Amino acid sequence: MTKTESSSESHLSGVALWRRIADAIRLDIVGGKRQPGDRLPGETELAERFSANRHTVRRALAALQAEGVIRTEQGRGSFVDQARRVSYRIGKRTRFSENLAGQAATISRDMLSSRLENATTSVAAALGLRAGTKVTRLETLSSADNRPMSRASIWLSYAAFPDFATRFAENPSITATLASYGIADYARASTRISARHADADETATLKLAPGAILLVSEAVDTDLAGKPLLYALSRFPADLMELVV
């Protein structure tokens, strides 16, 4: 690797060059420029396109292969994989299990941890509380066909739901746990969607390759009268899920 490329790997836009190459190839696939089964350009052509050496290109391709985005056939090259992405619909009624019904044989949600904490300014604003108010925070992992599909952080008012974590642990369903408090139904008030690289914890929990891209959903759910119930940050592997609004 040349000195110039090494500098680019470490400092350009704060993202390693191999990650930027992998991201660009992902965008070609997601944007429809390359279809399942299409052969990717060779290492030499990709190296010229990104002003990189072949070692860096190989690292990007290896990451994409580990994520299931592409497959490599010895002597033939790399091809866009046939992997199907799951559609997750976001609307007034957004439920993980209902969204994936018919797209997966098994659907599950597990609570990774729970704790009490003081609401930050953003959490308090979302829940209509004062900053510093006690809130319950849940960390959950949702899977489809035993494949991790969503890592979520969920906040609720502790005063309104003092033993939410205990009830949720017994039956890991947000809908069922809210129903145990007499809330028969609830609605999505707002959703903001962004994208970023997974951090180390998300990479390990969601079983992703380094440099994987996440779709991030920042959402507020309310009761049918419009009172905030929960605030959630959900992270989905971009190569496995598509968010449909």
Side-chain angles (χ1 to χ4, degrees):
M1 182 181 296
T2 66
K3 182 177 180 180
T4 300
E5 186 174 333
S6 177
S7 175
S8 295
E9 288 245 14
S10 301
H11 302 295
L12 187 57
S13 300
V15 179
L17 181 55
W18 69 268
R19 287 190 179 183
R20 297 198 302 113
I21 294 172
D23 289 348
I25 295 173
R26 284 192 195 96
L27 288 175
D28 284 349
I29 296 171
V30 172
K33 292 182 179 179
R34 300 192 184 281
Q35 302 298 321
D38 285 356
R39 185 180 184 279
L40 296 180
E43 291 180 1
T44 300
E45 185 177 341
L46 289 172
E48 292 177 354
R49 173 184 172 186
F50 296 104
S51 299
N53 62 35
R54 293 178 64 180
H55 172 77
T56 303
V57 169
R58 286 193 201 105
R59 187 174 180 186
L61 294 176
L64 292 172
Q65 183 174 1
E67 295 170 29
V69 178
I70 66 171
R71 70 180 187 278
T72 299
E73 299 179 10
Q74 188 171 3
R76 296 192 63 213
S78 297
F79 298 81
V80 178
D81 205 354
Q82 299 283 348
R84 179 175 61 89
R85 292 159 71 203
V86 174
S87 294
Y88 188 84
R89 296 189 176 277
I90 295 175
K92 277 293 185 181
R93 183 179 176 83
T94 303
R95 310 286 191 269
F96 185 83
S97 58
E98 291 180 9
N99 260 311
L100 270 64
Q103 301 185 76
T106 61
I107 301 169
S108 64
R109 171 179 265 169
D110 298 306
M111 185 172 71
L112 302 178
S113 65
S114 67
R115 66 175 183 264
L116 290 180
E117 60 184 31
N118 297 324
T120 62
T121 301
S122 59
V123 170
L127 293 176
L129 305 172
R130 290 183 179 180
T133 301
K134 289 292 184 184
V135 291
T136 298
R137 176 174 178 171
L138 305 179
E139 294 294 333
T140 68
L141 180 68
S142 298
S143 302
D145 293 335
N146 298 315
R147 178 70 186 264
M149 301 295 280
S150 173
R151 175 80 156 81
S153 302
I154 303 167
W155 291 266
L156 307 97
S157 164
Y158 176 71
F161 308 104
D163 59 347
F164 194 95
T166 300
R167 298 191 193 190
F168 183 83
E170 294 173 353
N171 183 7
S173 162
I174 294 294
T175 301
T177 306
L178 287 174
S180 73
Y181 287 94
I183 301 171
D185 201 4
Y186 60 101
R188 176 61 54 87
S190 65
T191 305
R192 294 182 180 179
I193 300 171
S194 59
R196 61 171 172 78
H197 288 282
D199 63 23
D201 175 70
E202 293 159 344
T203 297
T205 306
L206 291 169
K207 298 180 180 179
L208 303 173
I213 300 295
L214 297 178
L215 299 177
V216 182
S217 166
E218 179 184 359
V220 176
D221 286 337
T222 68
D223 64 19
L224 299 187
K227 181 180 179 180
L229 296 174
L230 64 87
Y231 170 61
L233 288 176
S234 302
R235 288 86 82 194
F236 305 92
D239 296 317
L240 298 178
M241 302 280 286
E242 61 179 7
L243 303 185
V244 181
V245 181

